[in-house]
Amino acid sequence: MRQRDTRLRPSTLLAWALWATTTAALVAAFAYGFVGHGGPIDAWEISTLVTFFLFVIAFSTVGALVASREPRNPVGWIMCWSGLAYAVAGAVVSFAENRIVSAASLPAFGEVMIWIGGWAWIMGAGPAGTLLMLLFPNGKLPSRRFRPVAWLAVAGILLIFAAIAFQPGPIQDYK
Protein backbone atom coordinates (compact mmCIF):
# COMPACT_ATOMS: atom_id res chain seq x y z
CA MET A 1 0.00 0.00 0.00
CA ARG A 2 1.37 3.38 -1.02
CA GLN A 3 1.79 5.89 1.78
CA ARG A 4 0.43 9.37 1.17
CA ASP A 5 2.75 12.35 1.47
CA THR A 6 1.29 14.54 4.20
CA ARG A 7 3.62 17.52 3.77
CA LEU A 8 2.08 20.75 2.62
CA ARG A 9 3.36 22.16 -0.62
CA PRO A 10 4.39 25.83 -0.71
CA SER A 11 1.65 26.46 -3.26
CA THR A 12 -0.95 25.10 -0.83
CA LEU A 13 0.35 27.33 1.94
CA LEU A 14 0.34 30.35 -0.38
CA ALA A 15 -3.20 29.67 -1.60
CA TRP A 16 -4.58 29.43 1.92
CA ALA A 17 -2.49 32.40 3.11
CA LEU A 18 -4.11 34.47 0.34
CA TRP A 19 -7.49 33.17 1.46
CA ALA A 20 -6.76 34.10 5.09
CA THR A 21 -5.60 37.58 4.08
CA THR A 22 -8.72 38.02 1.97
CA THR A 23 -10.90 36.88 4.86
CA ALA A 24 -9.16 39.28 7.27
CA ALA A 25 -9.66 42.19 4.85
CA LEU A 26 -13.32 41.22 4.46
CA VAL A 27 -13.83 41.10 8.21
CA ALA A 28 -12.23 44.55 8.44
CA ALA A 29 -14.51 45.87 5.69
CA PHE A 30 -17.51 44.32 7.38
CA ALA A 31 -16.54 45.68 10.80
CA TYR A 32 -15.93 49.19 9.51
CA GLY A 33 -19.15 49.01 7.55
CA PHE A 34 -21.19 48.21 10.66
CA VAL A 35 -19.30 49.52 13.68
CA GLY A 36 -17.70 52.57 12.13
CA HIS A 37 -20.87 53.77 10.49
CA GLY A 38 -21.75 56.13 13.32
CA GLY A 39 -25.49 55.98 12.82
CA PRO A 40 -28.37 53.70 11.95
CA ILE A 41 -27.74 51.31 9.09
CA ASP A 42 -30.54 50.80 6.61
CA ALA A 43 -31.49 47.50 5.01
CA TRP A 44 -29.84 48.43 1.70
CA GLU A 45 -26.44 48.95 3.35
CA ILE A 46 -26.74 45.69 5.28
CA SER A 47 -27.70 43.71 2.19
CA THR A 48 -24.85 45.31 0.22
CA LEU A 49 -22.28 44.42 2.88
CA VAL A 50 -23.56 40.85 3.28
CA THR A 51 -23.73 40.28 -0.47
CA PHE A 52 -20.22 41.66 -0.97
CA PHE A 53 -18.89 39.49 1.88
CA LEU A 54 -20.52 36.31 0.57
CA PHE A 55 -19.46 36.93 -3.03
CA VAL A 56 -15.82 37.60 -2.21
CA ILE A 57 -15.47 34.79 0.35
CA ALA A 58 -17.02 32.29 -2.09
CA PHE A 59 -14.80 33.50 -4.94
CA SER A 60 -11.61 33.31 -2.88
CA THR A 61 -12.53 29.96 -1.29
CA VAL A 62 -13.02 28.34 -4.70
CA GLY A 63 -9.76 29.96 -5.82
CA ALA A 64 -7.86 28.61 -2.81
CA LEU A 65 -9.30 25.12 -3.32
CA VAL A 66 -8.35 25.06 -7.00
CA ALA A 67 -4.91 26.62 -6.44
CA SER A 68 -4.04 24.27 -3.58
CA ARG A 69 -5.03 21.16 -5.56
CA GLU A 70 -3.92 22.26 -9.04
CA PRO A 71 -1.13 24.81 -8.50
CA ARG A 72 -0.25 24.93 -12.21
CA ASN A 73 -3.75 25.95 -13.19
CA PRO A 74 -3.92 29.78 -13.26
CA VAL A 75 -7.69 29.77 -12.74
CA GLY A 76 -7.31 29.22 -8.98
CA TRP A 77 -4.62 31.90 -8.67
CA ILE A 78 -6.68 34.42 -10.63
CA MET A 79 -9.63 33.76 -8.32
CA CYS A 80 -7.41 34.12 -5.24
CA TRP A 81 -5.95 37.38 -6.56
CA SER A 82 -9.34 38.78 -7.56
CA GLY A 83 -10.85 37.94 -4.19
CA LEU A 84 -7.94 39.61 -2.41
CA ALA A 85 -8.21 42.73 -4.59
CA TYR A 86 -11.97 42.98 -3.97
CA ALA A 87 -11.48 42.52 -0.22
CA VAL A 88 -8.70 45.10 0.01
CA ALA A 89 -10.77 47.57 -2.04
CA GLY A 90 -13.79 46.96 0.19
CA ALA A 91 -11.78 47.36 3.40
CA VAL A 92 -10.05 50.51 2.20
CA VAL A 93 -13.26 52.11 0.95
CA SER A 94 -15.13 51.18 4.12
CA PHE A 95 -12.29 52.49 6.27
CA ALA A 96 -12.05 55.71 4.28
CA GLU A 97 -15.80 56.27 4.31
CA ASN A 98 -16.29 55.64 8.00
CA ARG A 99 -13.09 56.64 9.75
CA ILE A 100 -10.88 58.95 7.81
CA VAL A 101 -12.96 61.24 5.66
CA SER A 102 -13.62 64.54 7.40
CA ALA A 103 -15.37 67.69 6.27
CA ALA A 104 -12.27 69.88 6.56
CA SER A 105 -9.34 68.05 5.01
CA LEU A 106 -7.86 64.61 4.78
CA PRO A 107 -4.59 63.60 6.36
CA ALA A 108 -2.04 62.14 3.96
CA PHE A 109 -2.84 58.58 5.05
CA GLY A 110 -6.52 59.17 4.37
CA GLU A 111 -5.80 60.46 0.89
CA VAL A 112 -3.71 57.38 0.15
CA MET A 113 -6.51 55.12 1.40
CA ILE A 114 -9.07 56.87 -0.77
CA TRP A 115 -6.69 56.72 -3.75
CA ILE A 116 -6.20 52.95 -3.29
CA GLY A 117 -9.95 52.45 -2.90
CA GLY A 118 -10.50 54.20 -6.20
CA TRP A 119 -8.53 51.71 -8.28
CA ALA A 120 -8.04 48.48 -6.27
CA TRP A 121 -11.31 46.98 -7.48
CA ILE A 122 -9.98 47.01 -11.06
CA MET A 123 -7.27 44.55 -10.04
CA GLY A 124 -10.03 42.12 -9.06
CA ALA A 125 -12.63 42.79 -11.73
CA GLY A 126 -10.22 42.93 -14.66
CA PRO A 127 -8.60 39.50 -14.35
CA ALA A 128 -11.85 37.85 -13.26
CA GLY A 129 -13.81 39.33 -16.14
CA THR A 130 -11.27 38.60 -18.87
CA LEU A 131 -8.47 36.17 -18.09
CA LEU A 132 -10.61 33.87 -16.00
CA MET A 133 -13.08 33.54 -18.86
CA LEU A 134 -10.29 32.85 -21.35
CA LEU A 135 -8.53 30.24 -19.21
CA PHE A 136 -11.48 28.42 -17.64
CA PRO A 137 -11.63 25.45 -16.85
CA ASN A 138 -8.21 23.90 -17.49
CA GLY A 139 -6.01 26.99 -17.29
CA LYS A 140 -5.17 26.96 -20.99
CA LEU A 141 -6.31 29.17 -23.81
CA PRO A 142 -8.73 27.47 -26.23
CA SER A 143 -6.13 27.78 -29.00
CA ARG A 144 -2.97 29.70 -29.91
CA ARG A 145 -5.13 32.24 -31.73
CA PHE A 146 -6.36 33.51 -28.34
CA ARG A 147 -2.90 34.71 -27.26
CA PRO A 148 -3.39 38.21 -28.69
CA VAL A 149 -6.76 38.37 -26.93
CA ALA A 150 -5.13 37.47 -23.61
CA TRP A 151 -2.38 40.07 -24.12
CA LEU A 152 -4.96 42.69 -25.07
CA ALA A 153 -6.91 41.84 -21.91
CA VAL A 154 -3.82 42.34 -19.75
CA ALA A 155 -2.98 45.59 -21.56
CA GLY A 156 -6.56 46.79 -21.13
CA ILE A 157 -6.54 46.03 -17.40
CA LEU A 158 -3.27 47.93 -16.97
CA LEU A 159 -4.51 50.89 -19.03
CA ILE A 160 -7.75 51.13 -17.05
CA PHE A 161 -5.76 50.91 -13.82
CA ALA A 162 -3.41 53.68 -14.94
CA ALA A 163 -6.27 55.87 -16.14
CA ILE A 164 -8.10 55.58 -12.83
CA ALA A 165 -5.11 55.60 -10.48
CA PHE A 166 -3.23 58.46 -12.09
CA GLN A 167 -5.99 60.73 -13.32
CA PRO A 168 -5.12 64.37 -12.75
CA GLY A 169 -6.92 66.49 -10.20
CA PRO A 170 -7.76 66.27 -6.54
CA ILE A 171 -8.58 62.97 -4.91
CA GLN A 172 -12.33 62.83 -4.34
CA ASP A 173 -13.62 61.57 -1.04
CA TYR A 174 -16.60 59.25 -0.53
CA LYS A 175 -18.87 61.52 1.48
Side-chain angles (χ1 to χ4, degrees), residues 18-173:
L18 287 171
W19 180 86
T21 305
T22 300
T23 303
L26 281 174
V27 168
F30 212 64
Y32 282 121
F34 279 112
V35 176
H37 197 273
I41 300 175
D42 63 6
W44 176 255
E45 290 173 313
I46 291 172
S47 65
T48 302
L49 281 170
V50 170
T51 302
F52 177 76
F53 183 86
L54 292 174
F55 167 74
V56 175
I57 200 70
F59 208 78
S60 62
T61 300
V62 170
L65 286 169
V66 172
S68 66
R69 287 175 170 73
E70 297 290 333
R72 292 179 189 252
N73 188 338
V75 168
W77 296 110
I78 290 170
M79 292 181 79
C80 285
W81 171 258
S82 293
L84 181 61
Y86 279 128
V88 167
V92 166
V93 166
S94 186
F95 186 76
E97 282 180 342
N98 299 309
R99 291 286 187 196
I100 293 178
V101 176
S102 67
S105 66
L106 296 172
F109 182 68
E111 288 185 10
V112 169
M113 297 292 276
I114 289 173
W115 177 70
I116 291 170
W119 57 259
W121 64 273
I122 267 300
M123 292 295 144
T130 57
L131 298 176
L132 189 60
M133 299 302 152
L134 285 170
L135 298 171
F136 189 82
N138 62 359
K140 295 182 171 111
L141 293 170
S143 72
R144 295 175 62 97
R145 291 183 289 173
F146 280 84
R147 282 186 182 170
V149 175
W151 283 110
L152 283 172
V154 170
I157 292 166
L158 293 175
L159 285 173
I160 292 170
F161 159 73
I164 292 172
F166 301 111
Q167 69 184 3
I171 296 174
Q172 297 176 353
D173 61 19

Side-chain angles (χ1 to χ4, degrees), residues 8-16 67-68 71 77:
L8 289 176
R9 295 182 297 207
S11 58
T12 301
L13 292 173
L14 178 60
W16 289 107
S68 66
W77 296 110

